[in-house]
Amino acid sequence: MGTDQQAGFFGSFGGSFIPPELQQAMDYLTEQFEKYKDDPDFIEEYQYYLKEYVGRDNPLTYAKHLSEKLGGAKIYLKREDLNHTGSHKINNVLGQILLAKRMGAKRVIAETGAGQHGVATATVCAMFGMECVIYMGAEDTRRQALNVFRMELLGAKVVPVNKGQGRLKDAVDEALGDLVANYKNTFYLLGSAVGPHPFPTMVKHFQSIISEESKRQIIEKEGRLPDAVIACVGGGSNGIGSFAHYIDEPSVRLIGVEPDQAPTLTQGVPGMLHGFKCLVLLDEQGEPRKTYSIAAGLDYPGIGPEHSYLKESGRAEYYAVSNEEVLEAFQVLSRTEGIIPALESAHAVAYALKLGPTLSHDQVLIVNLSGRGDKDVEQVFEMLKEKK
Ligand SMILES: *Cc1c(COP(=O)(O)O)cnc(C)c1O
């Protein structure tokens, strides 16, 4: 695709624009990732835990009732919701913690906003007996008290950050400060396909298991490739993982779906965010715009550099859906298939509800079900009550 992955550039996006002391830590990480990613022992260990701990392969389920109801394409669901801890996030945190172990790290740090990435990180730290420190904005620790409790239950230390506005951005700053001071024995575990090189490349590497499996499974079931793959995009990790093995298959449409209240790919402009170049939503002052999504995992004003490049080059398409459409999709999938999707994943389902009926019976869609909706049921209950 003409991307220079060595330097971490995807067209003009990506790269690493950070202070020298942090660059030193990133260079070290890049070198170690390159060293281990193709190492047969490392691959064997990753595959062992994907099977025995995460529960992979997960199924590619034919959504028969939904497909019949829509009257168009055959819709398949890639079931990341069935993974241990209930989403695709485990694929990435598992890969990174195995790398941390190989690198001899003694502690793992991460930052979290709503808490989902913090919980995933605390989970693998518990599994591998690694000290775990999670930075979280003080305001967020109050709003997400239950996720703080989950992380503590898993043995992590949650550090509330009072600086600034006490939000995710301030937690990132604290975590980076910790990394600069301690990078020789500390591993910074990043949750999405964003940030300076090598993170977007590394996170894609570990999430690519999604499309590696789905490609094999769809060929077994249908004897051919899908016509389109649909995924929701926040930072872009489940999206890039679901697309990865189809990027060089031009017959497969790649479709990313975002909230219309955080429309980074449909309305963003090239810019810089958190040390890398990507499409970014700016306000009139040229600052990253405040976003609001009902799905906490999609609430981010930037997007991974490879998605920015796939959009610019026209290889992938991106659409925004409304809260109304997402709430509808959340209920339709629950009712027709007995699967309650995460609100994030319901964005992908919402677009499938629009696209499916326009296609013919012999066409095939894969929707990546990035997570399960148990965590969102209470919120949807409140939202539906308000609408009545
Ligand atoms: C975190 C999360 C997302 C968004 O993150 P990406 O990096 O864009 O994949 C999507 N779905 C679920 C269920 C999540 O937990």
Side-chain angles (χ1 to χ4, degrees):
M1 292 295 291
T3 57
D4 183 0
Q5 299 227 356
Q6 286 324 103
F9 275 95
F10 304 89
S12 61
F13 299 106
S16 179
F17 302 87
I18 51 180
E21 60 278 15
L22 199 53
Q23 188 58 50
Q24 207 177 2
M26 290 303 119
D27 289 345
Y28 179 57
L29 178 60
T30 304
E31 175 204 303
Q32 297 287 307
F33 170 63
E34 291 299 329
K35 176 173 159 191
Y36 286 114
K37 76 177 172 52
D38 301 318
D39 177 277
D41 288 344
F42 182 80
I43 295 172
E44 193 185 318
E45 195 180 16
Y46 183 52
Q47 285 174 346
Y48 173 84
Y49 287 106
L50 283 178
K51 179 166 185 279
E52 301 294 335
Y53 191 61
V54 177
R56 304 198 76 99
D57 302 354
N58 61 45
L60 181 70
T61 306
Y62 174 44
K64 182 168 184 286
H65 302 290
L66 182 66
S67 304
E68 283 170 2
K69 179 183 155 80
L70 296 176
K74 289 178 88 168
I75 298 176
Y76 283 86
L77 306 170
K78 182 59 179 155
R79 304 294 306 280
E80 297 301 308
D81 61 312
L82 293 178
N83 295 342
H84 176 48
T85 68
S87 86
H88 69 291
K89 284 193 170 71
I90 192 86
N91 305 327
N92 171 50
V93 294
L94 175 63
Q96 287 194 47
I97 198 137
L98 292 175
L99 181 61
K101 254 187 18 162
R102 299 272 164 148
M103 288 168 65
K106 295 284 170 282
R107 58 197 282 273
V108 166
I109 61 173
E111 90 285 333
T112 195
Q116 290 159 251
H117 173 57
V119 171
T121 302
T123 299
V124 290
C125 286
M127 172 68 178
F128 291 96
M130 190 83 90
E131 183 188 341
C132 180
V133 176
I134 306 289
Y135 291 97
M136 192 167 181
E139 180 58 28
D140 290 331
T141 60
R142 284 187 284 275
R143 295 199 299 186
Q144 300 289 341
L146 210 53
N147 274 339
V148 172
F149 177 65
R150 281 194 183 96
M151 290 181 254
E152 289 173 347
L153 197 59
L154 292 160
K157 182 172 169 215
V158 179
V159 180
V161 177
N162 281 299
K163 287 191 193 136
Q165 299 185 311
R167 300 297 309 278
L168 178 62
K169 185 181 165 299
D170 311 296
V172 173
D173 291 342
E174 284 296 298
L176 290 177
D178 183 326
L179 179 67
V180 167
N182 301 307
Y183 81 90
K184 286 282 180 196
N185 71 3
T186 296
F187 190 95
Y188 187 170
L189 210 158
L190 198 77
S192 191
V194 298
H197 182 63
F199 282 112
T201 298
M202 183 162 74
V203 173
K204 177 191 185 183
H205 179 79
F206 293 128
Q207 291 293 1
S208 294
I209 186 71
I210 301 173
S211 50
E212 188 184 314
E213 282 176 18
S214 78
K215 194 175 190 178
R216 176 164 33 81
Q217 290 167 320
I218 199 69
I219 288 171
E220 276 165 18
K221 289 173 196 288
E222 291 288 335
R224 68 179 191 86
L225 294 174
D227 293 279
V229 177
I230 307 177
C232 66
V233 285
S237 71
N238 90 91
I240 206 68
S242 332
F243 293 173
H245 287 267
Y246 301 105
I247 292 175
D248 291 332
E249 304 280 3
S251 70
V252 182
R253 285 173 67 186
L254 306 176
I255 300 174
V257 188
E258 60 187 5
D260 65 1
Q261 288 170 315
T264 317
L265 282 152
T266 47
Q267 290 180 26
V269 295
M272 180 88 74
L273 193 75
H274 303 146
F276 68 104
K277 287 184 180 166
C278 64
L279 291 174
V280 54
L281 278 172
L282 300 176
D283 62 17
E284 290 87 53
Q285 277 74 47
E287 293 292 315
R289 200 207 288 178
K290 285 210 169 53
T291 56
Y292 172 75
S293 170
I294 55 171
L298 304 184
D299 210 355
Y300 183 61
I303 176 70
E306 191 166 3
H307 285 289
S308 304
Y309 174 72
L310 291 172
K311 154 87 185 186
E312 195 187 60
S313 67
R315 175 63 189 95
E317 309 155 51
Y318 296 88
Y319 302 100
V321 293
S322 69
N323 287 351
E324 290 281 309
E325 291 169 323
V326 171
L327 276 177
E328 176 66 16
F330 185 89
Q331 295 170 84
V332 167
L333 191 68
S334 301
R335 221 175 287 139
T336 53
E337 299 293 337
I339 298 171
I340 303 177
L343 275 173
E344 290 87 354
S345 321
H347 286 69
V349 177
Y351 192 75
L353 299 186
K354 294 196 211 184
L355 182 62
T358 70
L359 304 177
S360 67
H361 293 299
D362 55 8
Q363 289 184 293
V364 172
L365 296 184
I366 293 180
V367 177
N368 194 49
L369 220 60
S370 57
R372 69 174 83 118
D374 307 35
K375 68 182 177 58
D376 299 319
V377 168
E378 193 180 338
Q379 187 189 342
V380 172
F381 173 68
E382 295 297 334
M383 287 189 293
L384 292 178
K385 208 162 59 179
E386 276 167 32
K387 278 176 56 178
K388 274 187 189 143

